[in-house]
Amino acid sequence: MIWQLDLLFFVILVVLALLALRVRNLMAAVAILATFSLMVAVMFGAMAAVDVAFVEAVLGAGLTGILFIILIRDTGERAAELESKRPVILLLPLIAVFVGLMVFASSGLPDRGDPDAPAHTHVSPDYIEGALVDSRTPNVVTAVLADYRSIDTLGEVIVIFTAGLAVLLVIRTMPGREPDPAPGRLDGEGDVT
Amino acid sequence: MFEIFLARYVYFFVVVLLAIGLYGMLAHRNLVKKIIAMLIFHTAIFIFFIEGSVKDDAEAPVILPGREVVAADYVNPLPHLLILTAIVVGAGIIGVAFALLLRLHRAYGTLDEEAILGIIGSELPDHAASSPEASSPPTSSSAVETDPGGGE
């Protein structure tokens, strides 16, 4: 993709991330987070990852925002205290060490857009060239997800089922529960995904 | 120098986003803010993977009919698959986290981490006496009995 556009998106993302954490009103923070996810989805689309862009727009920008709004409406928590009593002096060296480690680790990674990067030369060409012949599916992502690697996708469904089950158990055994519809909507979350 | 920047700026921005997420998770005392920071952290990981799938002069991994298939013409589809799975599992994580937050809020009446820790600390010596959960055993048992109707 065009690198200037990519750079612009990254700057927007950093600003939105800082704003989402900085703003005191939780509803505003959730709105900014949904904008962040939508920007990420647009960025994925620009990087030719169309399937990921769809899923990020639906789940990241849509469903996550709705769940946040249900949570905030249900708990009545509207504003967050900004500053922790924990001293920032302790945190900054930790973040600096983390950033240093990550930058050090990224020095071994391939350049952006390099067609000979190790990730592009191992099994990936076989999947791309075989998808249409083996599964009659032009979309390689669909072919791998639902055909070559369908057992792994079944495993993913089990993970989502377990998450839905965990939500049900936590909500149902909740002490002092009032009869309102919001927890029921949270239960359905496992089925939606 | 400019070529190095073009090849490397992705890693720089991803690390910045990761650092913002990590700082938010550690520094904020409101649990909703902590989850927002966690989402920023894992979205940064998604961006890292999808940037890794990019090839120069390549298209979306949808095979066009009537043309010879050359792998170098299409971006790598495997990171897309990993991230599709990760986004869906991320929605599951958010669901469980919100269920736990709702439960914490019912038990302590706040989503402020330090307030909750304060309540837990003050309960420890005599938790049977004047805690907000003193009335919870009867309510919880009645909630379990009335649940099958209300939960569906």
mmCIF file of all heavy atoms in Angstrom, chain A residues 37 40-42 44-45 49-64 67 145 156 159-160 163 189 192-193, chain B residues 38-39 42-47 49-50 79-95:
data_model
loop_
_atom_site.group_PDB
_atom_site.id
_atom_site.type_symbol
_atom_site.label_atom_id
_atom_site.label_comp_id
_atom_site.label_asym_id
_atom_site.label_seq_id
_atom_site.Cartn_x
_atom_site.Cartn_y
_atom_site.Cartn_z
ATOM 1 N N SER A 37 -10.857 1.450 16.419
ATOM 2 C CA SER A 37 -11.042 0.158 15.759
ATOM 3 C C SER A 37 -11.445 0.332 14.302
ATOM 4 O O SER A 37 -10.993 -0.419 13.430
ATOM 5 C CB SER A 37 -12.108 -0.651 16.491
ATOM 6 O OG SER A 37 -11.629 -1.086 17.720
ATOM 7 N N VAL A 40 -8.449 1.165 12.353
ATOM 8 C CA VAL A 40 -7.653 -0.048 12.150
ATOM 9 C C VAL A 40 -8.266 -0.885 11.031
ATOM 10 O O VAL A 40 -7.548 -1.430 10.179
ATOM 11 C CB VAL A 40 -7.557 -0.850 13.468
ATOM 12 C CG1 VAL A 40 -6.903 -2.194 13.227
ATOM 13 C CG2 VAL A 40 -6.771 -0.082 14.489
ATOM 14 N N ALA A 41 -9.622 -0.948 10.983
ATOM 15 C CA ALA A 41 -10.286 -1.728 9.942
ATOM 16 C C ALA A 41 -10.000 -1.133 8.562
ATOM 17 O O ALA A 41 -9.701 -1.863 7.610
ATOM 18 C CB ALA A 41 -11.794 -1.775 10.199
ATOM 19 N N VAL A 42 -10.061 0.214 8.456
ATOM 20 C CA VAL A 42 -9.753 0.871 7.183
ATOM 21 C C VAL A 42 -8.316 0.563 6.769
ATOM 22 O O VAL A 42 -8.016 0.253 5.619
ATOM 23 C CB VAL A 42 -9.979 2.389 7.302
ATOM 24 C CG1 VAL A 42 -9.513 3.097 6.048
ATOM 25 C CG2 VAL A 42 -11.440 2.682 7.553
ATOM 26 N N PHE A 44 -6.528 -2.071 7.636
ATOM 27 C CA PHE A 44 -6.454 -3.461 7.179
ATOM 28 C C PHE A 44 -6.937 -3.562 5.736
ATOM 29 O O PHE A 44 -6.345 -4.276 4.920
ATOM 30 C CB PHE A 44 -7.301 -4.376 8.064
ATOM 31 C CG PHE A 44 -6.720 -4.637 9.428
ATOM 32 C CD1 PHE A 44 -7.505 -5.182 10.438
ATOM 33 C CD2 PHE A 44 -5.402 -4.354 9.697
ATOM 34 C CE1 PHE A 44 -6.971 -5.418 11.687
ATOM 35 C CE2 PHE A 44 -4.855 -4.591 10.945
ATOM 36 C CZ PHE A 44 -5.655 -5.120 11.948
ATOM 37 N N GLY A 45 -8.039 -2.866 5.422
ATOM 38 C CA GLY A 45 -8.531 -2.885 4.048
ATOM 39 C C GLY A 45 -7.492 -2.339 3.080
ATOM 40 O O GLY A 45 -7.274 -2.908 2.008
ATOM 41 N N ALA A 49 -5.992 -6.799 3.440
ATOM 42 C CA ALA A 49 -6.502 -7.845 4.329
ATOM 43 C C ALA A 49 -8.010 -7.645 4.482
ATOM 44 O O ALA A 49 -8.495 -7.209 5.521
ATOM 45 C CB ALA A 49 -5.807 -7.779 5.685
ATOM 46 N N VAL A 50 -8.761 -7.955 3.424
ATOM 47 C CA VAL A 50 -10.178 -7.565 3.386
ATOM 48 C C VAL A 50 -11.010 -8.312 4.425
ATOM 49 O O VAL A 50 -11.867 -7.718 5.085
ATOM 50 C CB VAL A 50 -10.756 -7.762 1.975
ATOM 51 C CG1 VAL A 50 -10.407 -6.596 1.101
ATOM 52 C CG2 VAL A 50 -10.275 -9.046 1.348
ATOM 53 N N ASP A 51 -10.761 -9.622 4.593
ATOM 54 C CA ASP A 51 -11.561 -10.397 5.556
ATOM 55 C C ASP A 51 -11.350 -9.871 6.971
ATOM 56 O O ASP A 51 -12.294 -9.723 7.748
ATOM 57 C CB ASP A 51 -11.156 -11.865 5.504
ATOM 58 C CG ASP A 51 -11.264 -12.432 4.111
ATOM 59 O OD1 ASP A 51 -10.389 -12.142 3.281
ATOM 60 O OD2 ASP A 51 -12.231 -13.139 3.847
ATOM 61 N N VAL A 52 -10.074 -9.590 7.295
ATOM 62 C CA VAL A 52 -9.770 -9.077 8.636
ATOM 63 C C VAL A 52 -10.429 -7.715 8.836
ATOM 64 O O VAL A 52 -10.914 -7.410 9.924
ATOM 65 C CB VAL A 52 -8.249 -9.000 8.842
ATOM 66 C CG1 VAL A 52 -7.923 -8.719 10.279
ATOM 67 C CG2 VAL A 52 -7.584 -10.273 8.391
ATOM 68 N N ALA A 53 -10.463 -6.903 7.760
ATOM 69 C CA ALA A 53 -11.082 -5.578 7.875
ATOM 70 C C ALA A 53 -12.561 -5.702 8.222
ATOM 71 O O ALA A 53 -13.066 -4.994 9.101
ATOM 72 C CB ALA A 53 -10.900 -4.811 6.560
ATOM 73 N N PHE A 54 -13.264 -6.644 7.555
ATOM 74 C CA PHE A 54 -14.687 -6.855 7.864
ATOM 75 C C PHE A 54 -14.879 -7.234 9.325
ATOM 76 O O PHE A 54 -15.705 -6.655 10.046
ATOM 77 C CB PHE A 54 -15.264 -7.976 6.994
ATOM 78 C CG PHE A 54 -15.522 -7.567 5.577
ATOM 79 C CD1 PHE A 54 -15.243 -8.428 4.534
ATOM 80 C CD2 PHE A 54 -16.050 -6.326 5.286
ATOM 81 C CE1 PHE A 54 -15.465 -8.055 3.226
ATOM 82 C CE2 PHE A 54 -16.287 -5.947 3.979
ATOM 83 C CZ PHE A 54 -15.989 -6.816 2.949
ATOM 84 N N VAL A 55 -14.100 -8.243 9.760
ATOM 85 C CA VAL A 55 -14.290 -8.747 11.125
ATOM 86 C C VAL A 55 -13.951 -7.669 12.150
ATOM 87 O O VAL A 55 -14.652 -7.498 13.142
ATOM 88 C CB VAL A 55 -13.451 -10.026 11.337
ATOM 89 C CG1 VAL A 55 -13.537 -10.492 12.770
ATOM 90 C CG2 VAL A 55 -13.926 -11.120 10.405
ATOM 91 N N GLU A 56 -12.874 -6.899 11.886
ATOM 92 C CA GLU A 56 -12.489 -5.849 12.831
ATOM 93 C C GLU A 56 -13.573 -4.766 12.893
ATOM 94 O O GLU A 56 -13.891 -4.261 13.961
ATOM 95 C CB GLU A 56 -11.151 -5.245 12.414
ATOM 96 C CG GLU A 56 -10.674 -4.073 13.266
ATOM 97 C CD GLU A 56 -10.277 -4.471 14.680
ATOM 98 O OE1 GLU A 56 -9.859 -5.625 14.870
ATOM 99 O OE2 GLU A 56 -10.401 -3.625 15.583
ATOM 100 N N ALA A 57 -14.165 -4.429 11.727
ATOM 101 C CA ALA A 57 -15.210 -3.394 11.727
ATOM 102 C C ALA A 57 -16.437 -3.879 12.486
ATOM 103 O O ALA A 57 -17.045 -3.119 13.243
ATOM 104 C CB ALA A 57 -15.575 -3.024 10.292
ATOM 105 N N VAL A 58 -16.809 -5.161 12.306
ATOM 106 C CA VAL A 58 -18.029 -5.663 12.954
ATOM 107 C C VAL A 58 -17.798 -5.891 14.444
ATOM 108 O O VAL A 58 -18.574 -5.434 15.288
ATOM 109 C CB VAL A 58 -18.487 -6.975 12.268
ATOM 110 C CG1 VAL A 58 -19.606 -7.619 13.056
ATOM 111 C CG2 VAL A 58 -18.943 -6.682 10.854
ATOM 112 N N LEU A 59 -16.707 -6.616 14.777
ATOM 113 C CA LEU A 59 -16.489 -6.964 16.185
ATOM 114 C C LEU A 59 -15.794 -5.845 16.950
ATOM 115 O O LEU A 59 -16.229 -5.456 18.028
ATOM 116 C CB LEU A 59 -15.657 -8.246 16.286
ATOM 117 C CG LEU A 59 -16.364 -9.534 15.891
ATOM 118 C CD1 LEU A 59 -15.497 -10.726 16.234
ATOM 119 C CD2 LEU A 59 -17.684 -9.668 16.596
ATOM 120 N N GLY A 60 -14.698 -5.305 16.376
ATOM 121 C CA GLY A 60 -13.928 -4.296 17.100
ATOM 122 C C GLY A 60 -14.684 -2.988 17.244
ATOM 123 O O GLY A 60 -14.792 -2.430 18.332
ATOM 124 N N ALA A 61 -15.233 -2.490 16.119
ATOM 125 C CA ALA A 61 -15.890 -1.184 16.172
ATOM 126 C C ALA A 61 -17.354 -1.313 16.564
ATOM 127 O O ALA A 61 -17.921 -0.400 17.150
ATOM 128 C CB ALA A 61 -15.766 -0.485 14.819
ATOM 129 N N GLY A 62 -18.005 -2.448 16.259
ATOM 130 C CA GLY A 62 -19.427 -2.578 16.529
ATOM 131 C C GLY A 62 -19.745 -3.238 17.856
ATOM 132 O O GLY A 62 -20.140 -2.579 18.815
ATOM 133 N N LEU A 63 -19.523 -4.546 17.905
ATOM 134 C CA LEU A 63 -19.967 -5.323 19.070
ATOM 135 C C LEU A 63 -19.284 -4.877 20.360
ATOM 136 O O LEU A 63 -19.935 -4.737 21.397
ATOM 137 C CB LEU A 63 -19.687 -6.816 18.817
ATOM 138 C CG LEU A 63 -20.186 -7.733 19.921
ATOM 139 C CD1 LEU A 63 -21.690 -7.830 19.884
ATOM 140 C CD2 LEU A 63 -19.575 -9.112 19.805
ATOM 141 N N THR A 64 -17.957 -4.621 20.289
ATOM 142 C CA THR A 64 -17.231 -4.205 21.486
ATOM 143 C C THR A 64 -17.808 -2.914 22.052
ATOM 144 O O THR A 64 -18.024 -2.804 23.268
ATOM 145 C CB THR A 64 -15.745 -4.009 21.155
ATOM 146 O OG1 THR A 64 -15.258 -5.213 20.578
ATOM 147 C CG2 THR A 64 -14.950 -3.679 22.377
ATOM 148 N N LEU A 67 -21.110 -3.636 23.771
ATOM 149 C CA LEU A 67 -20.908 -4.276 25.081
ATOM 150 C C LEU A 67 -20.433 -3.266 26.118
ATOM 151 O O LEU A 67 -20.888 -3.282 27.272
ATOM 152 C CB LEU A 67 -19.887 -5.415 24.951
ATOM 153 C CG LEU A 67 -20.355 -6.667 24.225
ATOM 154 C CD1 LEU A 67 -19.244 -7.689 24.158
ATOM 155 C CD2 LEU A 67 -21.557 -7.267 24.902
ATOM 156 N N LEU A 145 -9.257 -21.348 6.134
ATOM 157 C CA LEU A 145 -9.990 -21.334 7.402
ATOM 158 C C LEU A 145 -11.002 -22.475 7.479
ATOM 159 O O LEU A 145 -11.093 -23.174 8.487
ATOM 160 C CB LEU A 145 -10.713 -19.989 7.551
ATOM 161 C CG LEU A 145 -11.337 -19.702 8.917
ATOM 162 C CD1 LEU A 145 -10.256 -19.328 9.897
ATOM 163 C CD2 LEU A 145 -12.334 -18.571 8.810
ATOM 164 N N GLU A 156 -11.443 -23.190 17.606
ATOM 165 C CA GLU A 156 -11.785 -21.800 17.906
ATOM 166 C C GLU A 156 -13.233 -21.702 18.388
ATOM 167 O O GLU A 156 -13.541 -20.973 19.334
ATOM 168 C CB GLU A 156 -11.587 -20.974 16.644
ATOM 169 C CG GLU A 156 -11.900 -19.513 16.831
ATOM 170 C CD GLU A 156 -12.007 -18.800 15.493
ATOM 171 O OE1 GLU A 156 -11.467 -19.322 14.505
ATOM 172 O OE2 GLU A 156 -12.635 -17.744 15.457
ATOM 173 N N VAL A 159 -13.390 -22.597 21.893
ATOM 174 C CA VAL A 159 -12.933 -21.503 22.763
ATOM 175 C C VAL A 159 -14.067 -20.504 22.990
ATOM 176 O O VAL A 159 -14.338 -20.080 24.128
ATOM 177 C CB VAL A 159 -11.708 -20.798 22.131
ATOM 178 C CG1 VAL A 159 -11.388 -19.515 22.871
ATOM 179 C CG2 VAL A 159 -10.511 -21.719 22.144
ATOM 180 N N ILE A 160 -14.780 -20.130 21.902
ATOM 181 C CA ILE A 160 -15.877 -19.169 22.030
ATOM 182 C C ILE A 160 -16.995 -19.755 22.882
ATOM 183 O O ILE A 160 -17.588 -19.065 23.725
ATOM 184 C CB ILE A 160 -16.398 -18.777 20.632
ATOM 185 C CG1 ILE A 160 -15.291 -18.071 19.852
ATOM 186 C CG2 ILE A 160 -17.603 -17.877 20.723
ATOM 187 C CD1 ILE A 160 -14.761 -16.848 20.522
ATOM 188 N N ALA A 163 -16.027 -19.459 26.395
ATOM 189 C CA ALA A 163 -16.172 -18.077 26.867
ATOM 190 C C ALA A 163 -17.639 -17.789 27.181
ATOM 191 O O ALA A 163 -17.960 -17.199 28.224
ATOM 192 C CB ALA A 163 -15.648 -17.106 25.817
ATOM 193 N N GLU A 189 -23.665 -13.167 23.769
ATOM 194 C CA GLU A 189 -22.442 -12.744 23.104
ATOM 195 C C GLU A 189 -21.704 -13.940 22.493
ATOM 196 O O GLU A 189 -21.186 -13.849 21.392
ATOM 197 C CB GLU A 189 -21.570 -12.032 24.138
ATOM 198 C CG GLU A 189 -20.417 -11.269 23.578
ATOM 199 C CD GLU A 189 -19.204 -12.127 23.421
ATOM 200 O OE1 GLU A 189 -19.102 -13.141 24.123
ATOM 201 O OE2 GLU A 189 -18.393 -11.827 22.562
ATOM 202 N N VAL A 192 -23.193 -14.857 19.120
ATOM 203 C CA VAL A 192 -23.004 -13.879 18.037
ATOM 204 C C VAL A 192 -21.687 -14.115 17.329
ATOM 205 O O VAL A 192 -21.605 -14.129 16.109
ATOM 206 C CB VAL A 192 -23.061 -12.439 18.604
ATOM 207 C CG1 VAL A 192 -22.701 -11.441 17.523
ATOM 208 C CG2 VAL A 192 -24.442 -12.162 19.150
ATOM 209 N N THR A 193 -20.627 -14.336 18.133
ATOM 210 C CA THR A 193 -19.316 -14.505 17.516
ATOM 211 C C THR A 193 -19.224 -15.891 16.925
ATOM 212 O O THR A 193 -18.459 -16.144 16.067
ATOM 213 C CB THR A 193 -18.207 -14.297 18.551
ATOM 214 O OG1 THR A 193 -18.481 -15.151 19.659
ATOM 215 C CG2 THR A 193 -18.156 -12.881 18.971
ATOM 216 N N MET B 38 -6.174 -2.570 27.381
ATOM 217 C CA MET B 38 -5.883 -3.927 26.914
ATOM 218 C C MET B 38 -6.272 -4.084 25.443
ATOM 219 O O MET B 38 -5.553 -4.720 24.662
ATOM 220 C CB MET B 38 -6.648 -4.942 27.765
ATOM 221 C CG MET B 38 -6.279 -6.368 27.489
ATOM 222 S SD MET B 38 -7.407 -7.516 28.268
ATOM 223 C CE MET B 38 -8.794 -7.464 27.150
ATOM 224 N N LEU B 39 -7.421 -3.463 25.054
ATOM 225 C CA LEU B 39 -7.856 -3.555 23.653
ATOM 226 C C LEU B 39 -6.864 -2.845 22.731
ATOM 227 O O LEU B 39 -6.569 -3.340 21.636
ATOM 228 C CB LEU B 39 -9.247 -2.944 23.495
ATOM 229 C CG LEU B 39 -10.373 -3.792 24.081
ATOM 230 C CD1 LEU B 39 -11.693 -3.081 23.944
ATOM 231 C CD2 LEU B 39 -10.429 -5.119 23.364
ATOM 232 N N HIS B 42 -3.938 -5.226 22.311
ATOM 233 C CA HIS B 42 -4.042 -6.356 21.401
ATOM 234 C C HIS B 42 -4.368 -5.935 19.974
ATOM 235 O O HIS B 42 -4.000 -6.634 19.047
ATOM 236 C CB HIS B 42 -4.836 -7.533 21.979
ATOM 237 C CG HIS B 42 -6.304 -7.523 21.930
ATOM 238 N ND1 HIS B 42 -7.049 -8.244 22.825
ATOM 239 C CD2 HIS B 42 -7.179 -6.962 21.103
ATOM 240 C CE1 HIS B 42 -8.306 -8.099 22.531
ATOM 241 N NE2 HIS B 42 -8.427 -7.333 21.506
ATOM 242 N N THR B 43 -4.948 -4.734 19.781
ATOM 243 C CA THR B 43 -5.084 -4.244 18.413
ATOM 244 C C THR B 43 -3.707 -3.949 17.802
ATOM 245 O O THR B 43 -3.497 -4.163 16.606
ATOM 246 C CB THR B 43 -5.957 -2.985 18.397
ATOM 247 O OG1 THR B 43 -7.176 -3.269 19.095
ATOM 248 C CG2 THR B 43 -6.307 -2.580 16.992
ATOM 249 N N ALA B 44 -2.767 -3.481 18.631
ATOM 250 C CA ALA B 44 -1.410 -3.239 18.127
ATOM 251 C C ALA B 44 -0.781 -4.541 17.638
ATOM 252 O O ALA B 44 -0.086 -4.559 16.613
ATOM 253 C CB ALA B 44 -0.554 -2.610 19.222
ATOM 254 N N ILE B 45 -1.062 -5.640 18.340
ATOM 255 C CA ILE B 45 -0.531 -6.933 17.891
ATOM 256 C C ILE B 45 -1.163 -7.329 16.559
ATOM 257 O O ILE B 45 -0.477 -7.829 15.661
ATOM 258 C CB ILE B 45 -0.776 -8.007 18.973
ATOM 259 C CG1 ILE B 45 -0.069 -7.619 20.257
ATOM 260 C CG2 ILE B 45 -0.286 -9.358 18.498
ATOM 261 C CD1 ILE B 45 -0.409 -8.478 21.428
ATOM 262 N N PHE B 46 -2.474 -7.062 16.396
ATOM 263 C CA PHE B 46 -3.120 -7.355 15.100
ATOM 264 C C PHE B 46 -2.416 -6.586 13.976
ATOM 265 O O PHE B 46 -2.136 -7.144 12.907
ATOM 266 C CB PHE B 46 -4.600 -6.938 15.104
ATOM 267 C CG PHE B 46 -5.465 -7.618 16.128
ATOM 268 C CD1 PHE B 46 -6.700 -7.094 16.465
ATOM 269 C CD2 PHE B 46 -5.051 -8.783 16.739
ATOM 270 C CE1 PHE B 46 -7.497 -7.712 17.396
ATOM 271 C CE2 PHE B 46 -5.852 -9.409 17.674
ATOM 272 C CZ PHE B 46 -7.080 -8.866 18.009
ATOM 273 N N ILE B 47 -2.168 -5.284 14.217
ATOM 274 C CA ILE B 47 -1.538 -4.463 13.182
ATOM 275 C C ILE B 47 -0.165 -5.026 12.832
ATOM 276 O O ILE B 47 0.204 -5.109 11.662
ATOM 277 C CB ILE B 47 -1.422 -3.000 13.659
ATOM 278 C CG1 ILE B 47 -2.811 -2.404 13.863
ATOM 279 C CG2 ILE B 47 -0.650 -2.166 12.661
ATOM 280 C CD1 ILE B 47 -2.798 -1.077 14.549
ATOM 281 N N PHE B 49 0.859 -8.140 12.941
ATOM 282 C CA PHE B 49 0.736 -9.332 12.103
ATOM 283 C C PHE B 49 0.321 -8.983 10.684
ATOM 284 O O PHE B 49 0.863 -9.518 9.714
ATOM 285 C CB PHE B 49 -0.281 -10.305 12.720
ATOM 286 C CG PHE B 49 0.347 -11.302 13.652
ATOM 287 C CD1 PHE B 49 0.696 -10.935 14.927
ATOM 288 C CD2 PHE B 49 0.581 -12.592 13.244
ATOM 289 C CE1 PHE B 49 1.280 -11.837 15.784
ATOM 290 C CE2 PHE B 49 1.164 -13.502 14.101
ATOM 291 C CZ PHE B 49 1.517 -13.131 15.371
ATOM 292 N N ILE B 50 -0.681 -8.075 10.537
ATOM 293 C CA ILE B 50 -1.170 -7.769 9.198
ATOM 294 C C ILE B 50 -0.092 -7.027 8.401
ATOM 295 O O ILE B 50 0.076 -7.249 7.205
ATOM 296 C CB ILE B 50 -2.477 -6.954 9.264
ATOM 297 C CG1 ILE B 50 -3.557 -7.755 9.995
ATOM 298 C CG2 ILE B 50 -2.971 -6.613 7.878
ATOM 299 C CD1 ILE B 50 -3.948 -9.039 9.309
ATOM 300 N N PRO B 79 -1.215 -14.826 8.001
ATOM 301 C CA PRO B 79 -1.434 -13.895 9.116
ATOM 302 C C PRO B 79 -2.888 -13.423 9.209
ATOM 303 O O PRO B 79 -3.402 -13.225 10.315
ATOM 304 C CB PRO B 79 -0.496 -12.729 8.793
ATOM 305 C CG PRO B 79 0.549 -13.309 7.939
ATOM 306 C CD PRO B 79 -0.120 -14.363 7.128
ATOM 307 N N HIS B 80 -3.569 -13.294 8.066
ATOM 308 C CA HIS B 80 -4.981 -12.894 8.093
ATOM 309 C C HIS B 80 -5.802 -13.896 8.895
ATOM 310 O O HIS B 80 -6.657 -13.512 9.705
ATOM 311 C CB HIS B 80 -5.550 -12.816 6.677
ATOM 312 C CG HIS B 80 -4.877 -11.799 5.797
ATOM 313 N ND1 HIS B 80 -5.350 -11.473 4.566
ATOM 314 C CD2 HIS B 80 -3.785 -11.049 5.994
ATOM 315 C CE1 HIS B 80 -4.572 -10.556 4.017
ATOM 316 N NE2 HIS B 80 -3.607 -10.290 4.876
ATOM 317 N N LEU B 81 -5.512 -15.204 8.661
ATOM 318 C CA LEU B 81 -6.251 -16.245 9.377
ATOM 319 C C LEU B 81 -6.018 -16.166 10.873
ATOM 320 O O LEU B 81 -6.959 -16.230 11.665
ATOM 321 C CB LEU B 81 -5.775 -17.614 8.891
ATOM 322 C CG LEU B 81 -6.245 -17.959 7.508
ATOM 323 C CD1 LEU B 81 -5.310 -18.944 6.886
ATOM 324 C CD2 LEU B 81 -7.617 -18.556 7.636
ATOM 325 N N LEU B 82 -4.720 -16.015 11.243
ATOM 326 C CA LEU B 82 -4.388 -15.938 12.669
ATOM 327 C C LEU B 82 -5.139 -14.789 13.323
ATOM 328 O O LEU B 82 -5.683 -14.923 14.428
ATOM 329 C CB LEU B 82 -2.885 -15.729 12.849
ATOM 330 C CG LEU B 82 -1.985 -16.902 12.475
ATOM 331 C CD1 LEU B 82 -0.532 -16.479 12.579
ATOM 332 C CD2 LEU B 82 -2.244 -18.064 13.409
ATOM 333 N N ILE B 83 -5.187 -13.634 12.615
ATOM 334 C CA ILE B 83 -5.774 -12.443 13.230
ATOM 335 C C ILE B 83 -7.295 -12.530 13.236
ATOM 336 O O ILE B 83 -7.950 -12.067 14.173
ATOM 337 C CB ILE B 83 -5.252 -11.182 12.531
ATOM 338 C CG1 ILE B 83 -3.748 -11.088 12.746
ATOM 339 C CG2 ILE B 83 -5.910 -9.937 13.068
ATOM 340 C CD1 ILE B 83 -3.304 -11.320 14.162
ATOM 341 N N LEU B 84 -7.888 -13.172 12.198
ATOM 342 C CA LEU B 84 -9.340 -13.422 12.244
ATOM 343 C C LEU B 84 -9.696 -14.174 13.517
ATOM 344 O O LEU B 84 -10.605 -13.791 14.268
ATOM 345 C CB LEU B 84 -9.765 -14.268 11.053
ATOM 346 C CG LEU B 84 -10.106 -13.572 9.751
ATOM 347 C CD1 LEU B 84 -10.542 -14.599 8.730
ATOM 348 C CD2 LEU B 84 -11.231 -12.598 9.983
ATOM 349 N N THR B 85 -8.944 -15.267 13.773
ATOM 350 C CA THR B 85 -9.184 -16.058 14.978
ATOM 351 C C THR B 85 -8.974 -15.212 16.226
ATOM 352 O O THR B 85 -9.768 -15.262 17.166
ATOM 353 C CB THR B 85 -8.250 -17.275 14.982
ATOM 354 O OG1 THR B 85 -8.381 -17.959 13.748
ATOM 355 C CG2 THR B 85 -8.573 -18.211 16.110
ATOM 356 N N ALA B 86 -7.893 -14.402 16.219
ATOM 357 C CA ALA B 86 -7.568 -13.618 17.411
ATOM 358 C C ALA B 86 -8.640 -12.568 17.698
ATOM 359 O O ALA B 86 -8.973 -12.318 18.858
ATOM 360 C CB ALA B 86 -6.209 -12.957 17.232
ATOM 361 N N ILE B 87 -9.209 -11.954 16.640
ATOM 362 C CA ILE B 87 -10.247 -10.936 16.867
ATOM 363 C C ILE B 87 -11.479 -11.582 17.495
ATOM 364 O O ILE B 87 -12.066 -11.056 18.443
ATOM 365 C CB ILE B 87 -10.617 -10.232 15.540
ATOM 366 C CG1 ILE B 87 -9.455 -9.384 15.037
ATOM 367 C CG2 ILE B 87 -11.841 -9.351 15.722
ATOM 368 C CD1 ILE B 87 -9.696 -8.773 13.676
ATOM 369 N N VAL B 88 -11.858 -12.772 16.961
ATOM 370 C CA VAL B 88 -13.052 -13.436 17.484
ATOM 371 C C VAL B 88 -12.823 -13.884 18.923
ATOM 372 O O VAL B 88 -13.687 -13.693 19.793
ATOM 373 C CB VAL B 88 -13.422 -14.616 16.562
ATOM 374 C CG1 VAL B 88 -14.561 -15.396 17.151
ATOM 375 C CG2 VAL B 88 -13.797 -14.115 15.196
ATOM 376 N N VAL B 89 -11.635 -14.448 19.198
ATOM 377 C CA VAL B 89 -11.334 -14.838 20.573
ATOM 378 C C VAL B 89 -11.272 -13.603 21.470
ATOM 379 O O VAL B 89 -11.694 -13.645 22.632
ATOM 380 C CB VAL B 89 -10.019 -15.646 20.619
ATOM 381 C CG1 VAL B 89 -9.559 -15.872 22.026
ATOM 382 C CG2 VAL B 89 -10.205 -16.970 19.921
ATOM 383 N N GLY B 90 -10.783 -12.463 20.906
ATOM 384 C CA GLY B 90 -10.760 -11.217 21.672
ATOM 385 C C GLY B 90 -12.151 -10.808 22.117
ATOM 386 O O GLY B 90 -12.328 -10.323 23.235
ATOM 387 N N ALA B 91 -13.157 -11.005 21.234
ATOM 388 C CA ALA B 91 -14.536 -10.690 21.623
ATOM 389 C C ALA B 91 -14.963 -11.580 22.793
ATOM 390 O O ALA B 91 -15.666 -11.116 23.700
ATOM 391 C CB ALA B 91 -15.468 -10.872 20.430
ATOM 392 N N GLY B 92 -14.522 -12.863 22.790
ATOM 393 C CA GLY B 92 -14.807 -13.742 23.924
ATOM 394 C C GLY B 92 -14.171 -13.247 25.202
ATOM 395 O O GLY B 92 -14.798 -13.248 26.269
ATOM 396 N N ILE B 93 -12.912 -12.758 25.096
ATOM 397 C CA ILE B 93 -12.209 -12.222 26.268
ATOM 398 C C ILE B 93 -12.988 -11.047 26.842
ATOM 399 O O ILE B 93 -13.195 -10.936 28.053
ATOM 400 C CB ILE B 93 -10.781 -11.779 25.891
ATOM 401 C CG1 ILE B 93 -9.933 -12.985 25.497
ATOM 402 C CG2 ILE B 93 -10.130 -11.019 27.027
ATOM 403 C CD1 ILE B 93 -8.583 -12.603 24.933
ATOM 404 N N ILE B 94 -13.457 -10.152 25.942
ATOM 405 C CA ILE B 94 -14.190 -8.976 26.407
ATOM 406 C C ILE B 94 -15.479 -9.396 27.111
ATOM 407 O O ILE B 94 -15.840 -8.843 28.153
ATOM 408 C CB ILE B 94 -14.489 -8.041 25.222
ATOM 409 C CG1 ILE B 94 -13.185 -7.470 24.680
ATOM 410 C CG2 ILE B 94 -15.399 -6.910 25.638
ATOM 411 C CD1 ILE B 94 -13.342 -6.859 23.324
ATOM 412 N N GLY B 95 -16.176 -10.415 26.534
ATOM 413 C CA GLY B 95 -17.400 -10.888 27.174
ATOM 414 C C GLY B 95 -17.154 -11.366 28.596
ATOM 415 O O GLY B 95 -17.855 -10.957 29.528
#
